[in-house]
Amino acid sequence: CALPIYFVNVFGVAIPTRVGVQNVLSTLGAFDIPYITYPNSPVTGPSEDANTAFPASKVFDAKFTGLRYAKPVRSRVIWVNLREEPFLYINDRPCVFRDLAVPFVNVELTGIESQKVEHVERKLKADILKEAQSYEGQFLVHDEGKGVGEIVGMWEQADNKTITTALELYQGYAEQGARVEFLRLPVTDEQSPELKDFDSLVLALLPRIRDANEPLSFIFNCQMGRGRTTTGMVICCLLIGLVNPEYYEALDRKFAKIFPEGASRFSNGEYGCISKLRSVLTQGKKVKHQVDLVLEACNRMQNLRTAIEDFKKASESVDKTEEERARAHHSGVHYLIRYFNLIAFASYLDESYDREAQKLMTPFADWMEQHPHITAMHAEAQLN
């Protein structure tokens, strides 16, 4: 994803280890330390493509394919963590807080604010350090075993060096010279961001995109690097296209055919609520096309549009149990609502951005409230 003169790169990752964070920052030229490899790992360094797509004077020239450097240029990274579940880094690994009764299910804290999540994590760290005093400086963590549904306990050393919150980790790297800024914007797993979450992302991302005057990389992560991460990447890319409409021209050249021949209407995103939405928006066809282009650009882990059809098929499959069909239907509807919201969001950007003032004139949540017919369609989203 690019801006004139300076590239604004957008990446998505699963929740990284401590070493993983350092390697990403190093690879992107934001941390002047060597790439670290694990013992016996087949990976010996960053991929060959890691240093492409940095500054170039003709970003949108159709013949431009990117510049390759022997070493990364000095870059700045904005790291956006979208997990709402409290977690801590225990030695190298991230460990998440879970309910003992349902250890394989994320703890949902829908609507929780960033400051509250970080407060919970600081309190969790303090509780662990206090408990470890009774166990010779150690505390018990659990991981998945080799058997299905097996949970295995293990003791870990507990002190201020081995246990850190995510905020402490990134702030520590910044103090060591890393050019990184950490943002925590919690979103519930497997669901569309709430309207206020869209506004939080706009407030955090738009000024940084608009004012970029050096190589800049946005890194998004959640748990698996799939749903929430891809959604964050898509919103970021839509904001890049808002600031620089030439971005969509570049995507049109790259993705001349978004929909394969013979693809179903559902694969193309033609659900009832989406067709109605497109018909009532001022530039409905245009903004849906923009969203579909960005979904193609961000589909390495998951295409948020075609995933809806996958859930729809699973919800209707005779090979699935009733519980599995119900779960697939639930996920499919939430993914459809996410797709709906992204198209509505793209329309909001198109209508509300003042190019002279270089700002949005109203929050997305307020814009949706001013369009109650859109909100009504959103509430009636179905996989048909």
Side-chain angles (χ1 to χ4, degrees):
C1 304
L3 292 173
I5 309 301
Y6 292 96
F7 267 108
V8 176
N9 296 281
V10 181
F11 300 96
V13 298
I15 184 72
T17 61
R18 287 198 205 208
V19 167
V21 173
Q22 294 179 51
N23 283 344
V24 169
L25 296 177
S26 173
T27 297
L28 296 177
F31 203 3
D32 301 323
I33 60 171
Y35 192 91
I36 304 169
T37 58
Y38 288 102
N40 303 317
S41 171
V43 179
T44 58
S47 73
E48 293 182 1
D49 296 327
N51 303 332
T52 63
F54 276 106
S57 58
K58 293 288 185 181
V59 170
F60 296 108
D61 187 328
K63 298 178 182 178
F64 176 73
T65 58
L67 297 178
R68 190 180 300 274
Y69 290 83
K71 295 181 180 179
V73 297
R74 285 175 62 87
S75 173
R76 188 163 65 93
V77 165
I78 310 297
W79 198 300
V80 185
N81 186 306
L82 297 169
R83 295 197 77 171
E84 73 172 8
E85 314 90 73
F87 75 97
L88 297 172
Y89 277 92
I90 312 299
N91 290 307
D92 184 47
R93 298 190 305 163
C95 294
V96 67
F97 176 76
R98 292 281 172 86
D99 185 339
L100 183 61
V102 280
F104 298 105
V105 178
N106 279 328
V107 174
E108 287 193 10
L109 300 169
T110 303
I112 193 169
E113 301 292 337
S114 305
Q115 298 86 346
K116 181 63 175 177
V117 176
E118 290 169 350
H119 170 76
V120 170
E121 289 171 345
R122 290 192 298 270
K123 183 68 168 61
L124 184 60
K125 175 181 175 177
D127 289 346
I128 289 172
L129 293 175
K130 182 178 180 179
E131 181 178 316
Q133 294 175 6
S134 302
Y135 297 96
E136 300 180 349
Q138 294 187 320
F139 80 109
L140 192 63
V141 298
H142 294 81
D143 200 354
E144 295 181 39
K146 295 181 179 179
V148 177
E150 181 183 9
I151 297 292
V152 178
M154 62 194 77
W155 290 94
E156 296 279 0
Q157 191 68 29
D159 56 50
N160 275 311
K161 288 186 177 180
T162 60
I163 303 179
T164 59
T165 68
L167 182 60
E168 289 173 340
L169 180 71
Y170 288 88
Q171 286 180 339
Y173 289 149
E175 291 169 2
Q176 296 172 43
R179 294 170 289 281
V180 60
E181 181 180 357
F182 179 75
L183 303 176
R184 185 69 171 272
L185 301 173
V187 176
T188 302
D189 191 19
E190 296 296 325
Q191 294 185 25
S192 171
E194 296 183 324
L195 300 184
K196 69 178 184 64
D197 296 329
F198 280 87
D199 287 325
S200 294
L201 283 163
V202 168
L203 287 172
L205 305 180
L206 182 57
R208 293 170 171 85
I209 294 169
R210 183 192 60 214
D211 301 333
N213 59 3
E214 62 179 332
L216 179 65
S217 294
F218 288 95
I219 311 290
F220 292 86
N221 87 264
C222 55
Q223 178 182 353
M224 301 297 292
R226 192 179 58 186
R228 290 175 287 183
T229 291
T230 305
T231 304
M233 294 171 66
V234 169
I235 291 172
C236 188
C237 290
L238 290 172
L239 293 173
I240 290 173
L242 175 68
V243 173
N244 192 336
E246 288 178 290
Y247 171 63
Y248 292 117
E249 296 175 18
L251 290 185
D252 265 321
R253 291 193 295 268
K254 184 171 183 179
F255 303 108
K257 278 192 174 184
I258 299 178
F259 308 123
E261 287 188 23
S264 72
R265 290 176 56 226
F266 296 118
S267 180
N268 297 346
E270 296 297 339
Y271 296 87
C273 64
I274 300 300
S275 297
K276 290 180 182 178
L277 176 64
R278 188 178 58 184
S279 69
V280 301
L281 295 176
T282 307
Q283 296 286 339
K285 183 177 180 180
K286 168 189 164 184
V287 295
K288 181 182 182 299
H289 179 65
Q290 289 176 341
V291 170
D292 287 331
L293 281 173
V294 172
L295 292 182
E296 289 299 309
C298 300
N299 73 354
R300 182 67 65 90
M301 274 295 288
Q302 186 176 54
N303 186 307
L304 296 180
R305 184 190 66 254
T306 59
I308 304 169
E309 185 182 27
D310 294 336
F311 285 122
K312 174 179 169 58
K313 289 179 178 177
S315 71
E316 298 169 349
S317 173
V318 296
D319 296 325
K320 303 289 185 181
T321 65
E322 184 176 349
E323 182 182 351
E324 289 171 334
R325 288 194 295 271
R327 190 161 54 244
H329 182 270
H330 178 269
S331 297
V333 170
H334 277 289
Y335 268 65
L336 178 57
I337 291 172
R338 176 170 11 207
Y339 184 45
F340 182 103
N341 284 343
L342 288 170
I343 295 171
F345 179 71
S347 181
Y348 152 75
L349 296 179
D350 188 62
E351 290 183 17
S352 303
Y353 190 61
D354 185 325
R355 295 205 169 275
E356 187 173 337
Q358 293 188 310
K359 66 178 184 179
L360 288 157
M361 303 310 293
T362 185
F364 181 46
D366 290 354
W367 184 88
M368 286 287 278
E369 191 172 319
Q370 295 161 12
H371 296 75
H373 55 294
I374 295 178
T375 305
M377 293 178 201
H378 170 281
E380 296 171 0
Q382 293 295 327
L383 300 177
N384 56 38

